[in-house]
Amino acid sequence: MATSSVNLVTALGAGSGIDTKALAQSMVDAERTPRKDAIDAKIKTEQAHITGLGAIKSLLSTLQTALTNVNDASDFSSITTTNSQPTAFSATTTTNAQAGSYDITVNQIAKATRLATTNFSSSNTSLNSGQSFTFSLAFPGDSSGSRNTSITVNTDTPGGIMDAVNAQSSTTGVSAQLVNTGNGLTLVFSGQTGASNDFTVSGLPVSVSMRAAPLQTAQDASIGINGIDITSQGNVLKDAIPGVSLELFAPTATTTNAASSSTSSIPARLDLNRDTSSIKTNLNALVTAYNDFDEGLKVLGDKGSTVATYGGTMTGDSFLQTVRNQIRSMFAKDGKVYQDGDSSKALLNPNVSAAWQVGLEFDRTGKMTLNTAKLDTALNKNFDQVVALFSANQNGQSAYSVSPGGLAGDAVKNIDKMLRSTGVIAQQTDSANSKIKDYNNQLTKLEERMTAMLAQYTKQFSSMDSLVGNSKSTQTSLKSSFDGLMAMYTKN
């Protein structure tokens, strides 16, 4: 009967008295342990490297977020408005607004024509003996007559007229509503604002009477800005002041001359003031983010760091200095911005073309600071150049754009490259994972060799134990024979 390897190992030592099972295992362990420990140490190093790379990625993402708050021209467009007559109009600014003061007079607001019928007892009152009919909308301000429209009413009721008018309002600009006056229903036709949108209604059945006077007649808005007269069909005026949208509510206040009993408008004062507080807040946040990034790299490289998870995980790794140098160079670069990105054209920021000129400085330890005095000077004297330095006057630039993006815009794009699936962080991570896979394969092969070695030692020691056992058996037999002979000689 064949003997199993387990039973064989257990039986070892029976003949020689030596624990050959332990001896075989010890010899295998002596081979395995130093090699396994060396490979495990390499795996641990690569795993720590991956942890450190994850920390770098997080630090870069935080820094990138801080940069996105100053990489668009619109990030510098904080304008506050002060309006002395907010009941007359409102003012909202866009990214193109500039600081300045304006005297604004609202002479009249734009209005739309509104025409109304006399009252009906019900929205279902028959107006043409149940027969369909057609009536006309005419626009006197349209000399070509192209806007004149015929409206066909298939249901001869006030509600039918309303529905027919509203079905074509996207074309005519005229809508209709039934209004309950308390004494019945009146049908109101409403047009669009502006004198050229005045209209008339004709051809309605004789049972429908229009009120003698319009509820309201169309007119253009009329305002004055710093003495310049402006008219508009609507009450929202965009870019009459560059970068400002005005919405008109009512004429500005008036004053009466007691002597002549004449009235005159009192202009409203609109002040557009540049608010730089948000810019300073964003730049201070950028400084904090950079210093946190730099401190994070120091923690990664500090062998004695007690920071949990990633402290000291990249001690002695040259990649830390590579990343640090790449990021710092983004703030130390030449920040000159040319018109249309063409160096042969006008330089847009001759007086503010470097980070230090807006107060972003580095001390002897590599820590970034913000010199607010320099920043205030740059913002007050060369605001547009500060905007150009950081954003190259761009807004919403793609991370893949090859056009200049300014100091912050280019930094955002460069960090994006580092963080992509094809970037240096991913490449380093992939390399570490590949090494770990290779080391695990080495462990598998090592274990296979050690298993084979144990089997070999077991076989060898089995033979040795058998030989020693046989030798001991022969020794015992001879001794017995000699003892017998000695006994015979002694007896004789």
Side-chain angles (χ1 to χ4, degrees):
M1 178 182 294
T3 303
S4 70
S5 60
V6 174
N7 291 335
L8 179 61
V9 172
T10 303
L12 283 175
S16 64
I18 300 173
D19 188 354
T20 51
K21 175 185 176 182
L23 177 61
Q25 189 64 56
S26 295
M27 292 182 68
V28 170
D29 289 344
E31 291 282 342
R32 175 197 289 119
T33 301
R35 297 180 183 181
K36 183 177 184 300
D37 288 348
I39 296 173
D40 285 341
K42 292 178 180 179
I43 291 175
K44 186 177 180 181
T45 297
E46 295 304 324
Q47 289 173 334
H49 187 66
I50 291 173
T51 299
L53 290 170
I56 293 177
K57 187 174 182 179
S58 177
L59 292 167
L60 285 172
S61 294
T62 301
L63 178 59
Q64 185 184 42
T65 297
L67 284 162
T68 59
N69 291 325
V70 289
N71 73 322
D72 284 342
S74 60
D75 294 327
F76 298 83
S77 62
S78 297
I79 295 288
T80 59
T81 61
T82 303
N83 180 1
S84 65
Q85 295 188 44
T87 57
F89 64 91
S90 67
T92 55
T93 60
T94 68
T95 58
N96 295 322
Q98 300 292 320
S101 297
Y102 302 87
D103 288 334
I104 298 177
T105 302
V106 180
N107 301 310
Q108 66 180 34
I109 65 172
K111 293 182 179 180
T113 293
R114 289 193 188 127
L115 306 177
T117 66
T118 55
N119 289 347
F120 304 104
S121 60
S122 168
S123 63
N124 296 320
T125 300
S126 177
L127 303 176
N128 196 41
S129 301
Q131 301 297 311
S132 63
F133 60 87
T134 300
F135 71 97
S136 299
L137 297 178
F139 297 84
D142 180 10
S143 59
S144 67
S146 60
R147 294 179 63 190
N148 295 341
T149 305
S150 293
I151 306 290
T152 298
V153 180
N154 294 315
T155 304
D156 71 324
T157 64
I161 297 175
M162 179 183 69
D163 291 341
V165 170
N166 291 337
Q168 297 191 48
S169 61
S170 61
T171 301
T172 64
V174 177
S175 60
Q177 304 85 30
L178 281 168
V179 178
N180 191 334
T181 66
N183 294 314
L185 298 174
T186 185
L187 187 62
V188 178
F189 300 89
S190 301
Q192 295 177 314
T193 59
S196 64
N197 291 317
D198 186 25
F199 68 94
T200 61
V201 176
S202 62
L204 288 166
V206 294
S207 58
V208 181
S209 299
M210 298 298 296
R211 296 192 184 190
L215 301 180
Q216 182 173 278
T217 301
Q219 66 181 28
D220 291 333
S222 173
I223 68 172
I225 300 178
N226 286 351
I228 299 175
D229 293 329
I230 299 173
T231 60
S232 169
Q233 284 190 335
N235 288 314
V236 176
L237 287 74
K238 295 182 179 180
D239 290 329
I241 299 172
V244 179
S245 179
L246 301 174
E247 184 174 3
L248 311 182
F249 306 134
T252 45
T254 59
T255 183
T256 302
N257 186 308
S260 62
S261 297
S262 61
T263 60
S264 58
S265 295
I266 302 174
R269 174 83 172 189
L270 177 64
D271 292 319
L272 305 179
N273 301 307
R274 193 175 301 285
D275 179 13
T276 60
S277 61
S278 63
I279 299 173
K280 294 178 182 178
T281 297
N282 289 337
L283 288 177
N284 272 310
L286 175 59
V287 169
T288 298
Y290 178 87
N291 289 332
D292 288 347
F293 161 79
D294 192 64
E295 184 60 30
L297 295 189
K298 291 178 182 178
V299 170
L300 285 166
D302 181 6
K303 185 177 182 180
S305 173
T306 59
V307 175
T309 306
Y310 69 90
T313 55
M314 298 185 73
T315 301
D317 195 323
S318 62
F319 185 65
L320 288 177
Q321 191 59 41
T322 298
V323 172
R324 179 182 284 108
N325 291 342
Q326 286 182 354
I327 296 302
R328 180 156 181 172
S329 67
M330 296 177 191
F331 293 92
K333 73 167 193 171
D334 178 2
K336 292 179 180 178
V337 178
Y338 296 90
Q339 182 180 345
D340 300 326
D342 186 346
S343 60
S344 66
K345 295 184 178 181
L347 177 61
L348 301 181
N349 58 334
N351 301 314
V352 185
S353 58
W356 65 266
Q357 291 176 305
V358 294
L360 291 178
E361 302 172 339
F362 292 94
D363 63 18
R364 290 180 298 175
T365 66
K367 184 177 181 181
M368 182 184 285
T369 61
L370 179 62
N371 186 322
T372 54
K374 285 186 178 180
L375 177 60
D376 286 338
T377 298
L379 290 173
N380 292 332
K381 292 185 176 181
N382 298 291
F383 183 85
D384 291 343
Q385 295 189 39
V386 174
V387 177
L389 171 68
F390 282 98
S391 69
N393 297 329
Q394 299 291 321
N395 281 303
Q397 195 175 62
S398 166
Y400 296 91
S401 174
V402 296
S403 300
L407 186 148
D410 287 343
V412 168
K413 290 187 286 187
N414 287 332
I415 292 177
D416 182 80
K417 290 179 183 177
M418 298 174 71
L419 295 176
R420 290 177 196 170
S421 59
T422 56
V424 291
I425 305 296
Q427 291 173 5
Q428 289 273 325
T429 303
D430 290 344
S431 175
N433 279 320
S434 178
K435 289 179 181 178
I436 290 174
K437 182 178 179 180
D438 181 60
Y439 294 145
N440 281 320
N441 288 336
Q442 291 180 33
L443 285 175
T444 299
K445 293 178 180 179
L446 174 64
E447 195 58 36
E448 290 172 350
R449 290 198 305 272
M450 294 303 100
T451 299
M453 182 179 291
L454 179 60
Q456 180 182 0
Y457 285 156
T458 298
K459 182 178 179 180
Q460 291 174 345
F461 291 161
S462 176
S463 298
M464 178 195 73
D465 192 63
S466 176
L467 178 61
V468 172
N470 290 333
S471 296
K472 289 182 70 176
S473 176
T474 300
Q475 180 183 9
T476 300
S477 176
L478 289 173
K479 185 176 183 298
S480 178
S481 297
F482 287 139
D483 287 344
L485 288 173
M486 288 295 295
M488 288 176 63
Y489 289 136
T490 302
K491 184 176 181 180
N492 291 332

